[in-house]
Amino acid sequence: MQEDREYLDHLLPRAEDAIRGLRDAHARLGRITGAGEGAEGLVRAVADGRGRARELVLAPRSKRLDAEALAREVGEAILSAQRDAERQAQAITDEVDAKLAALPKALDAEFVQERIEQVSREIDAATDVAM
């Protein structure tokens, strides 16, 4: 029983820390903004953590581009911003994965059943002595 208590005393703070880390990661994921620009630098874009374009800025010189070149520049800027946001999200996810991997593995059903049977035997033995 003491061994189980020590295990739980050790596990609980680590689990609480992991939960705090998950909450923090969730908040950080919500604040991600990726930035990118087109190949010619005439278009800048910002994307959120879900890949949605949130901002598009066209340099005055972009008016000189034909429609196809401008479309390509816009597409490159948005794609670049999305990739930047994705990279940031992946870094946060990797941090979380590393913290969760450091937690002890869950107890399997066989171990739990064995502990329940042991405690039951100890209770029976204590009851027999008391009688």
Side-chain angles (χ1 to χ4, degrees):
M1 287 284 250
Q2 182 63 26
E3 179 181 302
D4 293 340
R5 184 173 304 248
E6 289 172 2
Y7 174 79
L8 290 175
D9 287 345
H10 176 72
L11 179 63
L12 186 59
R14 294 175 72 188
E16 289 171 339
D17 184 52
I19 290 169
R20 277 190 300 276
L22 287 170
R23 286 184 182 136
D24 176 60
H26 184 264
R28 289 170 52 204
L29 286 168
R31 293 189 304 264
I32 287 176
T33 56
E37 64 180 40
E40 295 184 40
L42 300 176
V43 177
R44 289 193 323 266
V46 174
D48 66 17
R50 293 190 171 145
R52 293 180 293 215
R54 292 296 185 193
E55 186 178 320
L56 193 62
V57 178
L58 303 171
R61 288 187 12 228
S62 68
K63 293 177 186 176
R64 297 180 192 157
L65 300 173
D66 63 36
E68 187 177 318
L70 181 59
R72 190 172 37 256
E73 188 78 1
V74 168
E76 289 173 358
I78 291 172
L79 183 59
S80 178
Q82 290 170 329
R83 287 182 176 154
D84 183 40
E86 180 182 19
R87 179 193 53 75
Q88 293 176 53
Q90 188 61 53
I92 292 169
T93 301
D94 290 346
E95 287 175 27
V96 169
D97 287 346
K99 285 182 180 182
L100 293 179
L103 287 174
K105 299 296 179 210
L107 302 176
D108 66 359
E110 184 178 324
F111 175 83
V112 172
Q113 181 65 34
E114 183 179 307
R115 294 301 287 157
I116 290 171
E117 290 173 3
Q118 179 183 355
V119 170
S120 179
R121 286 190 300 272
E122 290 173 5
I123 290 171
D124 287 345
T127 303
D128 289 343
V129 170
M131 293 183 159

